[in-house]
Amino acid sequence: MPLSLHTLAPKKGSRTKKFRIGRGYATGRGTTAGRGTKGQRARTGGRKRLKLKGLKQMLLAFPKNRGFQSMHPTVYAVPTERLLKSFQAGDRVDLEALKAKRLVPKSAVKAKIIGGTEIDKKLTLVDIMVTTSVKEAMEKAGGTIERTKKAKKDAAKDKKKEKKGKKA
């Protein structure tokens, strides 16, 4: 077949008509016209400049991955039996000494000695909280419990908070 203007034609399948959607059930793209169902994006002009509606609901949908950070420092408990194993008679025991012996973590701000066994060593506790039973046992063994000015202020603040809590 000779090539002439009236025989020129595009390649088969290269020029197809655009599929017209939203032209009824029989076309295969009726009802929702390929837009899914409902909502702002299903509407004309809905994909441009989406408006934020219901901020509260959106925030509630986010996972709570921030957690809670208490403003009160964690008080680490140290049993007397571990304390007696770690220190010699006559030693000065403060927070740094407890951290050095790895009885409390390096990040510790407060520590408390809790009872459980009899105390037979004479120790000096500095700025460390103790239970009443440990205090009695420590004095009985000849040990002392010292408080610095800063520790006394902190204890006074704690007492005030306790009183406020009891009134409410």
Side-chain angles (χ1 to χ4, degrees), residues 76-88 93 98 103 112-121 123 125 128-139 141 145:
Y76 292 93
V78 181
T80 51
E81 54 201 34
R82 290 188 66 198
L83 185 79
L84 295 173
K85 284 179 186 175
S86 301
F87 292 97
Q88 304 298 320
V93 181
L98 292 174
L103 295 173
K112 186 171 189 172
I113 310 298
I114 56 173
T117 59
E118 289 295 318
I119 298 171
D120 55 352
K121 292 180 183 176
L123 297 171
L125 300 178
I128 295 175
M129 296 185 287
V130 292
T131 59
T132 51
S133 61
V134 171
K135 187 176 182 179
E136 290 168 5
M138 189 67 71
E139 289 169 355
I145 299 165

Side-chain angles (χ1 to χ4, degrees), residues 129-165:
M129 296 185 287
V130 292
T131 59
T132 51
S133 61
V134 171
K135 187 176 182 179
E136 290 168 5
M138 189 67 71
E139 289 169 355
K140 193 176 179 183
T144 57
I145 299 165
E146 295 177 10
R147 291 229 177 196
T148 60
K149 287 182 181 179
K150 186 182 181 297
K152 286 179 182 177
K153 281 182 183 178
D154 290 344
K157 282 182 185 177
D158 290 342
K159 280 189 178 181
K160 278 185 181 179
K161 284 180 185 176
E162 284 178 20
K163 283 182 182 178
K164 281 185 181 179

Side-chain angles (χ1 to χ4, degrees), residues 2-94:
L3 187 68
S4 57
L5 286 173
H6 77 278
T7 59
L8 288 175
K11 191 177 176 184
K12 277 273 189 201
S14 67
R15 308 279 286 174
T16 56
K17 272 190 166 182
K18 187 181 177 195
F19 195 91
R20 297 180 73 200
I21 59 173
R23 296 293 184 273
Y25 300 116
T27 63
R29 289 274 178 96
T31 55
T32 57
R35 288 177 174 265
T37 56
K38 303 179 185 176
Q40 193 170 2
R41 287 194 169 108
R43 309 289 190 259
T44 53
R47 288 193 180 264
K48 291 180 225 131
R49 291 184 230 80
L50 289 171
K51 308 292 187 294
L52 187 65
K53 294 178 180 175
L55 182 69
K56 179 83 171 177
Q57 291 302 314
M58 189 191 79
L59 290 172
L60 290 171
F62 280 106
K64 293 176 183 156
N65 58 358
R66 283 176 52 222
F68 171 76
Q69 188 71 39
S70 176
M71 58 186 241
H72 303 293
T74 306
V75 179
Y76 292 93
V78 181
T80 51
E81 54 201 34
R82 290 188 66 198
L83 185 79
L84 295 173
K85 284 179 186 175
S86 301
F87 292 97
Q88 304 298 320
D91 281 354
R92 181 181 168 91
V93 181
D94 58 353

